[in-house]
Amino acid sequence: MTDETKKNGVDESPEAKPEANPDAPTAEDLAGAARAAAENEADPAQEPSELELVAAERDALKDKYLRLAAEMDNLRRRTARDVRDAKAYSVSNFARDMLAVSDNLRRALDAIPAEALQAGEAGLKALSEGVEMTERAMLSALERHGVKKLSPAGQKFDPNFHQAMFEVPNPEVPNNTVVEVVQEGFVIGDRVLRPAMVGVAKGGPKQPAAASESEAQDAEQ
């Protein structure tokens, strides 16, 4: 040891300095380890437990089952309604055609002169009775299948069931009262098969709150 390597009694020669440990952790390593420890402590709180996973799966399956049950219930209701409507209204077109035949029978009866019937001609009277019986039988058969005749005379005009053809000035009858039926109307179930063609009163007092055809239908149901 020379004087040049001594200073204030401290040996500063290279041999006197401690050797660096390559395995010693650096400050950066220590900071990374601290961050990793903090993350490991936070993970158990963030990750759901097995019980929570099972509960979530149960809730999802329950929600799916309830939705499926509601859809099946709606499907059953729609199917039942479609079957009911098909049964009730399947004869609509046929009934409408039969109404045209019934109209022709009524025209034939109206075409017979009243004087001839009053004269008592046997053949003409038998023909009239036969045509009338045929008309009644046809309407009765239609009624058995849900077709009913409307009787709007004296009722309040209802655009849902009646078709106004003309107005009749009459100050003694409440306004919008059906005073004449030009052609009979018919319904099948709660649907209009053919509206009644009517004449309505005009110029009378305000129509009182009387039951219209639609209100009468609701009352029957």
Side-chain angles (χ1 to χ4, degrees), residues 157 163-171 175-180 182 197-204:
F157 174 76
Q163 181 178 349
M165 304 302 295
F166 53 87
E167 293 179 331
V168 180
N170 192 339
N175 199 35
N176 285 335
T177 298
V178 176
V179 293
E180 186 175 347
V182 180
M197 296 183 180
V198 300
V200 296
K202 178 183 179 182

Side-chain angles (χ1 to χ4, degrees), residues 137-161:
M138 180 177 295
L139 294 177
S140 179
L142 290 173
E143 188 171 356
R144 286 196 299 271
H145 290 278
V147 179
K148 297 181 181 180
K149 182 189 293 187
L150 298 176
S151 300
Q155 295 181 356
K156 180 182 178 181
F157 174 76
D158 188 344
N160 296 315
F161 295 90

Side-chain angles (χ1 to χ4, degrees), residues 50-61:
E50 184 177 355
L51 181 60
E52 291 174 339
L53 291 174
V54 172
E57 184 178 2
R58 179 205 59 195
D59 293 340
L61 291 175

Side-chain angles (χ1 to χ4, degrees), residues 66-130:
L66 292 176
R67 291 176 181 273
L68 181 60
E71 291 177 1
M72 291 300 298
D73 187 53
N74 292 334
L75 178 61
R76 282 194 296 269
R77 292 181 180 179
R78 287 196 300 269
T79 302
R81 183 176 66 250
D82 291 343
V83 171
R84 184 173 62 251
D85 290 348
K87 182 179 179 181
Y89 306 117
S90 60
V91 298
S92 295
N93 293 333
F94 174 75
R96 196 174 288 109
D97 292 339
M98 289 301 98
L99 291 180
V101 178
S102 176
D103 292 339
N104 290 332
L105 292 175
R106 174 48 50 185
R107 293 188 186 99
L109 290 172
D110 294 339
I112 300 176
E115 296 80 4
L117 290 177
Q118 293 175 358
E121 297 182 12
L124 189 59
K125 186 175 182 180
L127 176 62
S128 175
E129 291 176 353

Side-chain angles (χ1 to χ4, degrees), residues 25-36:
T26 64
E28 184 178 354
D29 294 337
L30 293 175
R35 286 195 300 270

